[in-house]
Amino acid sequence: MSQTLHPMLNVAVKAARAAGSLINRASLDLDLLKVNTKSPNDFVTEVDQKAEEVIIETLLGAYPGHGILAEESGRTHGAPHSEYVWIIDPLDGTTNFIHGFPYYAVSIALAYRDQIQQAVVYDPTRNDLFYASKGRGAFLNDKRIRVSKRTRMSDALIGTGFPFRKGDNFKRYMKMFEDVMVSCAGVRRPGAAALDLCNVAAGNYDGFFEPGLNPWDIAAGSLIVTEAGGLIGNFTGESDYMYQREVMAGNPKIYAQMVGLLKKYSRVIADDAKPAGIGAEPLDAADADAKNLPDWSPEAALAKAEAEAQSPEALAAARKKRAVRIRKEDVAPKGDAQG
């Protein structure tokens, strides 16, 4: 790699390549792989865990005072109160990996005071390295990448991801999917959000949207998109997306048109006058249980209020609480939203 990288980015690249080598070796004999189920359709393999271990060992070996937020181990490693936090998905696209479908990646990002500063997404099957440092542009291997220049939604290719866990609101998603599908040239769902965001950055997709994602799915890709000249946010188009479990990205022109299509489905909006079937649809009690939401979470409060048909005042309070940004300290690992 001829380009001089930021020292912290250099360490992240080293960690990503080490994890990628481990993943490639394991992919040669998938029949021997031990697969566990975290929840229905949500898998973790010994490869996820070993890859995460080698990443954390590499990062903390260089920066022992930094914090860690990782998909499989959460915050159990690193310094708990550091202003520097590495956000790690050791294998984004586990379901693809298990089935030998070559679309998965290692995702590593460094946040300083909640702002992503360094990002690496490594595709081990193609040996493609996407990376970015804040203010220095986005790259694929040694080549600078930029978002596409398409301006019309009717010409756009859009990436997405489907809900797949018990309790996910699939009917709501299908309405969203239909609105986008009839407005664009095509929709694709390969199954790894980190790579999907990199494809937006490289101009292969003109836009991307998905509900239900966790910070480790999108942290690295988010910086790569913005450094490539793209925009990323929640379904209302605002920049508060990392912990809101909904994300949308695209080149500026397509992004603006996607906001027009998706904002009515945003779970961020606290709108008590919203008609039935729009936006954050009520969760029934079974859905609330299936999500295994922590009692303290704003989403759990909203689910409880709606499930128990509480008064309009109580429901409004729950929605208002849900609309407040969930601080990263409160995010607990729930698995790979891409499988």
Side-chain angles (χ1 to χ4, degrees), residues 22-327:
L22 191 156
I23 291 166
N24 276 341
R25 288 196 300 273
S27 72
L28 299 176
D29 206 342
L30 292 173
D31 290 341
L32 298 179
L33 201 62
K34 294 178 182 177
V35 180
N36 295 315
T37 303
K38 291 189 277 190
S39 62
N41 298 331
D42 191 6
F43 305 104
V44 61
T45 71
E46 56 189 333
V47 178
D48 296 71
Q49 294 161 339
K50 290 178 180 177
E52 186 169 294
E53 287 171 9
V54 76
I55 292 168
I56 292 172
E57 182 180 334
T58 303
L59 297 177
L60 293 184
Y63 301 103
H66 286 191
I68 299 287
L69 174 60
E71 180 182 3
E72 306 306 336
S73 60
R75 291 182 164 274
T76 58
H77 300 282
H81 304 298
S82 175
E83 292 183 318
Y84 289 94
V85 178
W86 294 96
I87 305 173
I88 302 162
D89 192 337
L91 180 51
D92 184 34
T94 302
T95 302
N96 287 346
F97 173 74
I98 291 168
H99 290 83
F101 183 70
Y103 194 85
Y104 44 83
V106 180
S107 177
I108 304 172
L110 176 65
Y112 174 67
R113 294 182 177 177
D114 291 345
Q115 299 297 313
I116 306 298
Q117 301 289 323
Q118 312 293 338
V120 174
V121 174
Y122 180 53
D123 176 350
T125 67
R126 296 170 184 79
N127 194 27
D128 277 344
L129 186 78
F130 296 88
Y131 58 93
S133 292
K134 191 170 180 62
R136 297 182 64 177
F139 296 83
L140 167 55
N141 302 321
D142 276 335
K143 184 180 178 182
R144 182 79 180 260
I145 55 176
R146 299 287 297 180
V147 295
S148 73
K149 296 180 180 178
R150 290 186 183 86
T151 59
R152 296 190 303 181
M153 190 70 180
S154 59
D155 296 330
L157 184 65
I158 306 296
T160 189
F162 303 148
F164 63 93
R165 296 192 190 93
K166 181 181 179 183
D168 283 340
N169 195 329
F170 197 70
K171 289 182 180 179
R172 171 176 167 265
Y173 177 81
M174 289 307 294
K175 294 174 187 174
M176 196 185 310
F177 179 79
E178 181 181 6
D179 283 356
V180 174
M181 187 171 64
V182 299
S183 302
C184 70
V187 178
R188 300 291 181 268
R189 197 281 188 197
L195 281 178
D196 289 335
L197 289 170
C198 289
N199 276 312
V200 172
N204 302 323
Y205 286 155
D206 304 295
F208 170 78
F209 73 99
E210 185 170 354
L213 292 174
N214 288 303
W216 44 83
D217 299 309
I218 57 178
S222 67
L223 180 64
I224 294 169
V225 165
T226 56
E227 287 296 319
L231 298 174
I232 187 166
N234 58 42
F235 291 169
T236 68
E238 297 165 341
S239 61
D240 184 13
Y241 61 89
M242 189 70 71
Y243 302 94
Q244 296 289 3
R245 299 183 67 76
E246 61 180 47
V247 70
M248 178 178 66
N251 77 40
K253 294 288 188 182
I254 298 301
Y255 183 87
Q257 293 167 72
M258 288 176 69
V259 171
L261 293 171
L262 297 177
K263 62 184 177 181
K264 65 179 177 287
Y265 297 105
S266 178
R267 300 181 67 90
V268 178
I269 298 173
D271 183 358
D272 302 322
K274 200 177 291 182
I278 298 298
E281 295 183 358
L283 295 169
D284 61 27
D287 282 346
D289 290 340
K291 285 182 176 294
N292 295 316
L293 299 171
D295 292 340
W296 46 258
S297 73
E299 195 171 25
L302 177 56
K304 182 179 179 182
E306 291 176 326
E308 296 178 359
Q310 292 184 10
S311 67
E313 293 78 12
L315 188 54
R319 281 187 171 143
K320 184 176 181 181
K321 189 175 181 183
R322 173 65 186 92
V324 176
R325 177 177 179 176
I326 303 170
R327 292 185 56 79

